[in-house]
Amino acid sequence: MNLRLFFTLVGASLLLAGYAHYFTENELFRFITSSLAIIFLAAWLGKATESVAHYAGDRVGGFLNATFGNAAELIIAFFLVKEGLFDMVKASITGAIIGNMLLVLGLSVLLGGLKYKEQTFNGQLAGHNASLMMLGIVALFIPAVFMQGLPPLEIERLSIVIAVLLILSYLLWLVFSMFTHRDFLSDIETHDSEASWSKGVSVLMLALSTFFVAVVSEWLVHSVHHVSEAFGWSELFVGAFVIAIIGNAAEHSAALLLAMKGRIGAAVEIAVGSSLQIALFVAPTLVLISLLMGRPMDIVFTAYELAAIGVATFITISITRDGATNWFEGVLLLVVYIILGTAFFFA
């Protein structure tokens, strides 16, 4: 698509969403226009990420997309924490984790696999990702077991300790993967893709698109509650799937574009890397932020949420551990996601 036409559509959708948010009272219209704007903004972010990855490599490009893409989830969750809606915050965290591992990765593997018979990526990276995913499961499972019956103050203290340890682990992983062992985790293939913009403009585009995704996501979170009540959706389903899918729009766009161009390594880095960032950095950061707001949030998740994250983690590890993917493995991931979505809808 011509860039001028593309940005015309982006601008028009953004103006329409802004008009609906500030000058109308129709919540359904606000929801539809905000969702449409996020779709176009996510495509913009995906194009910017692909351009940055051209200069920085798939690993750094994927990390940047996961970080910038998760800004929407973090901002949405921030407003939910501010309102004291902790159950919905945890449900949205759960949905973001399983959405990235099952929906984003599943669609990327499926569509990329339909074009390429088999796509490969660094097997050592897959192994380390598996270990980090297991750390996330352990860190969420332990509080749910050991905090039962504890006084609120002790639950708060244990949540803080776990949050700090998870953030520290994630920062050390960045040092390990980006610096000390970068060569071992580098891409196994080089790709001859063209960047849409220069290096400086690509970074600027990534920052601008992320900013607007975050703004429109904040608009949408206000209308989604009214829409969910109108359709009779539960808070668990709204948090785990509706808000999570909206927040993951950026990752969807970027990962699919890269996978369909044969760059499955970058797509895996976006999908799995984003889930890891949410579990090991975003979730514990929200726990610490809640303390500053005077509304302490613990890190205890429900049995439904833990089961969903555990299932998503194990199927993702099973499929990615060999460093190769095909379209049928994408189908398996999507089937699991649909099963979980159906279960959450009726829960």
Side-chain angles (χ1 to χ4, degrees), residues 40-51:
F40 282 106
L41 289 169
W44 179 16
L45 193 150
K47 187 176 290 290
T49 302
E50 184 181 0
S51 189

Side-chain angles (χ1 to χ4, degrees), residues 26-322:
N26 189 316
E27 297 295 344
L28 181 59
F29 182 58
R30 288 178 172 181
F31 178 81
I32 293 173
T33 54
S34 296
S35 298
L36 182 64
I38 286 181
I39 291 172
F40 282 106
L41 289 169
W44 179 16
L45 193 150
K47 187 176 290 290
T49 302
E50 184 181 0
S51 189
V52 170
H54 172 80
Y55 297 104
D58 284 352
R59 286 231 63 242
V60 176
F63 167 74
L64 288 175
N65 182 268
T67 301
F68 280 83
N70 283 337
E73 278 99 336
L74 184 59
I75 291 174
I76 291 173
F78 173 83
F79 286 107
L80 293 174
V81 168
K82 190 176 180 181
E83 297 297 323
L85 301 173
F86 299 145
D87 289 340
M88 188 168 287
V89 172
K90 294 173 185 176
S92 67
I93 290 171
T94 301
I97 293 173
I98 66 176
N100 279 302
M101 286 195 289
L102 299 178
L103 180 60
V104 178
L105 184 59
L107 284 174
S108 299
V109 171
L110 172 60
L111 296 181
L114 291 176
K115 187 174 183 180
Y116 303 95
K117 188 171 184 179
E118 184 178 71
Q119 293 182 291
T120 56
F121 58 97
N122 192 301
Q124 291 190 40
L125 176 61
H128 286 294
N129 281 339
S131 299
L132 285 169
M133 285 189 280
M134 290 305 299
L135 171 63
I137 290 292
V138 170
L140 296 179
F141 178 77
I142 294 298
V145 174
F146 286 87
M147 288 187 183
Q148 298 294 330
L150 289 179
L153 183 59
E154 293 185 15
I155 293 177
E156 180 183 329
R157 288 173 177 171
L158 183 54
S159 295
I160 294 172
V161 171
I162 292 175
V164 171
L165 288 173
L166 287 178
I167 292 174
L168 180 60
S169 298
Y170 184 71
L171 294 177
L172 290 175
W173 161 246
L174 293 183
V175 173
F176 176 84
S177 62
M178 299 291 183
F179 298 100
T180 64
H181 288 68
R182 180 175 181 174
D183 293 339
F184 291 96
L185 304 178
S186 61
D187 309 323
I188 61 177
E189 294 182 4
T190 57
H191 305 275
D192 298 322
S193 61
E194 294 184 3
S196 299
W197 304 285
S198 66
K199 185 186 296 185
V201 173
S202 298
V203 173
L204 176 63
M205 289 293 183
L206 187 61
L208 285 175
S209 58
T210 301
F211 170 77
F212 284 115
V213 166
V215 170
V216 178
S217 295
E218 195 273 328
W219 293 348
L220 192 144
V221 79
H222 289 293
S223 61
V224 75
H225 296 295
H226 299 279
V227 173
S228 65
E229 290 177 2
F231 286 100
W233 295 336
S234 68
E235 187 173 282
L236 182 64
F237 178 76
V238 170
F241 285 85
V242 179
I243 292 179
I245 289 175
I246 292 167
N248 282 339
E251 286 92 339
H252 290 159
S253 175
L256 290 180
L257 285 173
L258 291 168
M260 293 176 69
K261 292 185 177 183
R263 305 179 66 176
I264 194 64
V268 170
E269 183 63 24
I270 290 171
V272 177
S274 184
S275 290
L276 292 174
Q277 193 174 82
I278 291 168
L280 303 181
F281 185 78
V282 173
T285 296
L286 289 172
V287 171
L288 300 182
I289 288 176
S290 70
L291 296 175
L292 300 178
M293 293 182 177
R295 291 173 174 264
M297 182 182 80
D298 60 51
I299 202 167
V300 181
F301 284 68
T302 66
Y304 292 134
E305 293 162 343
L306 290 174
I309 295 173
V311 167
T313 297
F314 287 123
I315 186 71
T316 302
I317 290 174
S318 175
I319 285 175
T320 61
R321 63 186 175 186
D322 60 350

